[in-house]
Amino acid sequence: MVINRRFFFDHIRSGPFRGKLSPSQVKGMEAILGHWEAWGRRGDDRWLAYILATVFHETAETMQPVRETLADDDARAIAILERAFAEGRLRWVKTPYWRPDETGRSWLGRGFVQLTHRRNYEAMSAITGIDLVADPDRAMETGPALAILFEGMARGSFTGKKLSDYFEGGNEDWVEARRIVNGTDRAALIAGYGRSFYAAIGHRPSACPGKVEGGFPSGNA
């Protein structure tokens, strides 16, 4: 089902975007909505809402594919990560995955959802049919970034947890859904974003999956 763009953008402008949307943010969300509408694996609209919430958080609200640390190039990102690691601000990191390997490639985070480590680039290459190993920066392109985002979250490629584990029929868990990408990091915050996006898609608290209220898409698409 097609997402009503006017309804959607009118609602998200006030939350979570605090009253203002940039052309770049709109362009990024248009790409995500368009991919959803064309996606062969499209399921419950709550999937789309949580995908959007994840992108809002992972891209620092830009809604565009970004490089980890938001640096303009790998060298700058690596320098920022190295400094943070040396200062003990990345205590959860056991192996500095951003350091260039023997081929000179860095496997730092890129995209709508921060894809890290060579093994994950290899896995998503197989799933998407895009050779991300030969050129990791392709994860910064909108098309590949969308494929990684949607297929990764739907298949459980990132952590073993997938969208249908948390949004399926009567099952709904906005907080635990963070485990799809990154444990419970900022889980409650991202859950709030997800609910805001879900309302913007056309839902009301009383809406049930598969039902259309007020002429806007609701429930299973």
Side-chain angles (χ1 to χ4, degrees):
M1 186 176 290
V2 174
I3 305 300
N4 185 302
R5 299 298 198 274
R6 181 174 180 178
F7 184 83
F8 177 82
F9 286 112
D10 281 350
H11 280 65
I12 61 167
R13 185 173 288 106
S14 59
F17 287 92
R18 300 181 295 279
K20 186 176 181 180
L21 287 170
S22 71
S24 180
Q25 287 170 324
V26 171
K27 183 178 180 181
M29 285 184 281
E30 284 281 13
I32 293 168
L33 296 178
H35 192 87
W36 169 260
E37 290 163 348
W39 192 41
R41 292 170 57 85
R42 189 174 69 242
D44 192 312
D45 279 356
R46 292 171 295 184
W47 291 17
L48 173 60
Y50 199 78
I51 286 170
L52 285 161
T54 296
V55 172
F56 183 82
H57 176 73
E58 296 288 328
T59 69
E61 305 180 16
T62 67
M63 308 308 287
Q64 290 288 332
V66 296
R67 183 178 285 102
E68 191 172 2
T69 76
L70 304 182
D72 291 333
D73 56 48
D74 285 359
R76 177 60 179 155
I78 291 167
I80 293 170
L81 290 165
E82 284 289 357
R83 183 168 62 250
F85 186 65
E87 293 173 353
R89 290 186 282 120
L90 300 176
R91 290 187 296 274
W92 59 90
V93 175
K94 296 180 180 178
T95 303
Y97 53 84
W98 56 82
R99 291 176 180 169
D101 64 12
E102 65 279 2
T103 70
R105 297 181 179 91
S106 170
W107 308 103
L108 51 76
R110 299 178 179 88
F112 282 121
V113 58
Q114 298 295 285
L115 188 67
T116 59
H117 296 280
R118 180 182 176 118
R119 63 180 180 275
N120 292 323
Y121 279 83
E122 291 173 341
M124 293 312 299
S125 293
I127 289 171
T128 64
I130 300 164
D131 193 348
L132 301 164
V133 176
D135 186 1
D137 273 343
R138 291 214 59 195
M140 294 285 291
E141 298 173 12
T142 299
L146 285 167
I148 293 165
L149 171 69
F150 277 75
E151 294 299 335
M153 292 185 72
R155 296 171 184 247
S157 304
F158 304 132
T159 66
K161 300 293 185 179
K162 57 188 181 295
L163 287 162
S164 61
D165 292 337
Y166 303 99
F167 305 106
E168 187 75 22
N171 181 39
E172 179 176 298
D173 196 332
W174 296 95
V175 175
E176 288 297 308
R178 180 58 176 160
R179 295 184 184 278
I180 298 167
V181 175
N182 192 4
T184 57
D185 175 59
R186 306 294 179 88
L189 181 66
I190 299 166
Y193 300 152
R195 293 186 185 98
S196 292
F197 280 113
Y198 189 44
I201 291 168
H203 295 266
R204 298 294 182 271
S206 60
C208 299
K211 182 179 179 182
V212 174
E213 279 191 15
F216 299 110
S218 181
N220 292 335

